[in-house]
């Protein structure tokens, strides 16, 4: 499907032109997020097991596809449940006036209480326990002393290492009241993530995820980030294969039952170029237009995909189809 045009009726079907409704760039535009000062890394108690890259500086676990058996899947499911809980706790702290460093402290305590190591902490030199990406920060924002402002959006990305497994999930949260175009970006990204997961089918090509996400995003006027994708996950934090969220026609690899990976599209409301800040992490859109992201860790089952980053009692800040499976109504 082609990208919606500015003079077309808005996708929300309220009768207004897109450019006067959910495509109103004057409402989406906001100031570039200033990078603040970053506090020292938070300590992790000695009894909590670290991933291999903490002591060796290198990833020693296989970077190949992560295929789970019953035993390893139970451990992965637990790590993912912990990640889902930490994300919910962190999300509850989002409010105008709160700093992302304060949210990092709350998330860090939530990992530790659950016996988990924050996988981000000291991964390739990252010094915080979550990523916090505000407004036009596409991903990998570093928690700092900037106070969240009413109308901001912030993605919080959580990865928990426990029982020898990494569970990875993220969600974009509204700070107080947000305008309707920005809400459209956030909710479209959430739905795109769930549509991508619903496209998973054993024996079918991986490109089905991008085919489910990109045309949907474009029909609402958004672009999909191409530089970053999902990844295999389990014993290794970032493993093969690369999961494309855009249409990648040559991607003929097939989903296998038991394979575990992330689905984590980033959608852009403005131009598609972005630039890494001097901190070596933060990726700013060049036009400062906001972006959003959601992420689940999933495993391929004989009938589709099971979302693993959901609490034992079925809660998630990301969202899940009400049926409990990853299948959305047509
Ligand atoms: Zn609209």
């Amino acid at each position: 499907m082609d990208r919606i045009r500015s003079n077309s009726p808005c996708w929300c079907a309220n009768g207004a032109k897109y450019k006067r409704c959910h495509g109103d760039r004057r409402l989406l535009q906001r100031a570039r997020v200033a990078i603040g000062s970053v506090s020292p890394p938070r300590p992790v108690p000695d009894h909590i097991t670290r991933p291999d890259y903490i002591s060796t500086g290198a990833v020693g676990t296989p970077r190949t596809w992560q295929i789970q058996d019953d035993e390893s899947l139970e451990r992965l499911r637990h790590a993912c449940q912990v990640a889902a809980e930490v994300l919910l706790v962190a999300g509850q702290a989002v409010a105008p006036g709160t700093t992302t460093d304060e949210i990092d402290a709350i998330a860090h305590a939530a990992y530790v209480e659950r016996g988990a190591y924050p996988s981000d902490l000291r991964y390739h030199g990252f010094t915080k326990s979550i990523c916090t990406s505000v407004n036009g920060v596409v991903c990998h924002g570093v928690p700092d002393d900037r106070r969240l402002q009413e109308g901001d959006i912030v993605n919080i990305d959580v990865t928990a290492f426990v029982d020898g497994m990494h569970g990875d999930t993220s969600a974009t949260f509204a700070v107080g009241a947000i305008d309707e175009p920005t809400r459209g970006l956030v909710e479209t990204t959430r739905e795109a993530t769930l549509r991508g997961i619903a496209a998973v089918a054993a024996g079918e090509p991986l490109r089905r995820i991008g085919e489910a996400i990109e045309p949907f995003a474009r029909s609402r006027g958004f672009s999909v980030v191409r530089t970053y994708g999902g990844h295999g996950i389990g014993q290794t934090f970032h493993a093969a294969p690369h999961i494309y969220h855009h249409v990648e026609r040559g991607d003929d690899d097939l989903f296998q039952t038991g394979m575990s990976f992330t689905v984590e599209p980033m959608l852009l409301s403005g131009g598609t170029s972005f630039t890494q800040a001097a901190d070596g992490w933060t990726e700013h859109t060049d036009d400062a237009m906001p972006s959003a992201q959601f992420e689940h860790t999933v495993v391929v089952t004989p009938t589709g995909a099971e979302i693993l980053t959901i609490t034992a009692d079925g809660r998630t800040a990301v969202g899940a189809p009400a049926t409990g499976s990853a299948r959305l109504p047509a």
Side-chain angles (χ1 to χ4, degrees), residues 93 95-105 132 143-148:
T98 302
T99 69
T100 47
D101 186 59
E102 289 163 354
I103 298 171
D104 183 76
T132 52
D144 64 15
D145 64 353
R146 178 188 180 277
R147 293 189 183 283
L148 294 171

Side-chain angles (χ1 to χ4, degrees), residues 10-14 21-22:
C10 191
W11 51 260
C12 72
N14 78 349
C21 191
H22 284 91

Side-chain angles (χ1 to χ4, degrees), residues 191-202:
E191 185 174 343
T193 306
L194 298 177
R195 285 179 179 231
I197 294 168
V200 173

Side-chain angles (χ1 to χ4, degrees), residues 64-177:
T64 51
W65 287 30
Q66 307 283 290
I67 308 292
Q68 310 306 329
D69 59 22
D70 289 349
E71 182 276 332
S72 64
L73 181 56
E74 272 315 297
R75 290 186 290 117
L76 178 58
R77 188 176 275 119
H78 179 233
C80 288
Q81 287 172 347
V82 168
E85 289 169 9
V86 172
L87 182 61
L88 284 161
V89 170
Q92 283 163 4
V94 171
T98 302
T99 69
T100 47
D101 186 59
E102 289 163 354
I103 298 171
D104 183 76
I106 289 164
H108 185 86
Y111 287 108
V112 167
E113 278 170 25
R114 291 162 177 79
Y117 184 91
S119 304
D120 289 346
L121 184 60
R122 302 190 186 283
Y123 181 77
H124 291 300
F126 196 82
T127 59
K128 299 280 92 182
S129 302
I130 53 175
C131 293
T132 52
S133 301
V134 177
N135 296 342
V137 176
V138 179
C139 62
H140 302 161
V142 184
D144 64 15
D145 64 353
R146 178 188 180 277
R147 293 189 183 283
L148 294 171
Q149 298 166 16
E150 180 97 16
D152 284 349
I153 55 174
V154 56
N155 173 273
I156 299 177
D157 197 329
V158 163
T159 308
F161 179 74
V162 61
D163 290 352
M165 291 287 181
H166 299 271
D168 195 356
T169 184
S170 86
T172 299
F173 299 91
V175 182

Side-chain angles (χ1 to χ4, degrees), residues 10-326:
C10 191
W11 51 260
C12 72
N14 78 349
K17 285 183 179 180
Y18 172 64
K19 69 181 179 186
R20 299 277 176 251
C21 191
H22 284 91
D24 189 338
R25 292 177 61 91
R26 295 165 305 180
L27 289 173
L28 285 163
Q29 191 75 58
R30 55 208 68 204
R32 181 183 166 92
V33 171
I35 291 180
S37 62
V38 177
S39 67
R42 299 193 151 82
V44 177
D46 289 343
H47 72 269
I48 292 179
T49 305
R50 273 81 169 144
D52 51 14
Y53 50 81
I54 302 306
S55 55
T56 65
V59 177
T61 46
R63 294 175 189 260
T64 51
W65 287 30
Q66 307 283 290
I67 308 292
Q68 310 306 329
D69 59 22
D70 289 349
E71 182 276 332
S72 64
L73 181 56
E74 272 315 297
R75 290 186 290 117
L76 178 58
R77 188 176 275 119
H78 179 233
C80 288
Q81 287 172 347
V82 168
E85 289 169 9
V86 172
L87 182 61
L88 284 161
V89 170
Q92 283 163 4
V94 171
T98 302
T99 69
T100 47
D101 186 59
E102 289 163 354
I103 298 171
D104 183 76
I106 289 164
H108 185 86
Y111 287 108
V112 167
E113 278 170 25
R114 291 162 177 79
Y117 184 91
S119 304
D120 289 346
L121 184 60
R122 302 190 186 283
Y123 181 77
H124 291 300
F126 196 82
T127 59
K128 299 280 92 182
S129 302
I130 53 175
C131 293
T132 52
S133 301
V134 177
N135 296 342
V137 176
V138 179
C139 62
H140 302 161
V142 184
D144 64 15
D145 64 353
R146 178 188 180 277
R147 293 189 183 283
L148 294 171
Q149 298 166 16
E150 180 97 16
D152 284 349
I153 55 174
V154 56
N155 173 273
I156 299 177
D157 197 329
V158 163
T159 308
F161 179 74
V162 61
D163 290 352
M165 291 287 181
H166 299 271
D168 195 356
T169 184
S170 86
T172 299
F173 299 91
V175 182
I178 58 173
D179 61 64
E180 194 56 26
T182 304
R183 200 181 70 81
L185 168 67
V186 172
E187 293 309 317
T188 299
T189 309
R190 186 195 310 275
E191 185 174 343
T193 306
L194 298 177
R195 285 179 179 231
I197 294 168
V200 173
E204 295 290 326
L206 305 188
R207 65 171 180 272
R208 283 174 61 109
I209 290 177
E211 289 170 350
I213 289 174
E214 189 174 34
F216 171 67
R218 288 174 59 82
S219 75
R220 293 190 170 187
F222 304 117
S223 302
V224 177
V225 167
R226 302 173 84 87
T227 312
Y228 293 103
H231 50 89
I233 189 168
Q235 184 189 9
T236 300
F237 185 4
H238 292 109
H242 183 86
I243 302 292
Y244 295 96
H245 300 120
H246 62 271
V247 177
E248 183 72 22
R249 299 195 194 284
D251 186 11
D252 295 325
D253 287 333
L254 305 180
F255 293 112
Q256 293 176 31
T257 300
M259 74 181 283
S260 49
F261 58 95
T262 67
V263 178
E264 49 175 314
M266 303 167 196
L267 266 55
L268 302 166
S269 61
T272 55
S273 59
F274 49 91
T275 304
Q276 193 175 85
D279 64 10
W281 290 103
T282 311
E283 299 279 1
H284 290 281
T285 55
D286 291 341
D287 58 9
M289 296 283 279
S291 67
Q293 183 182 23
F294 287 84
E295 176 181 18
H296 271 309
T297 297
V298 306
V299 64
V300 180
T301 70
T303 56
E306 179 188 345
I307 294 172
L308 297 175
T309 33
I310 191 162
T311 64
D313 58 351
R315 290 172 303 120
T316 162
V318 181
T323 58
S325 79

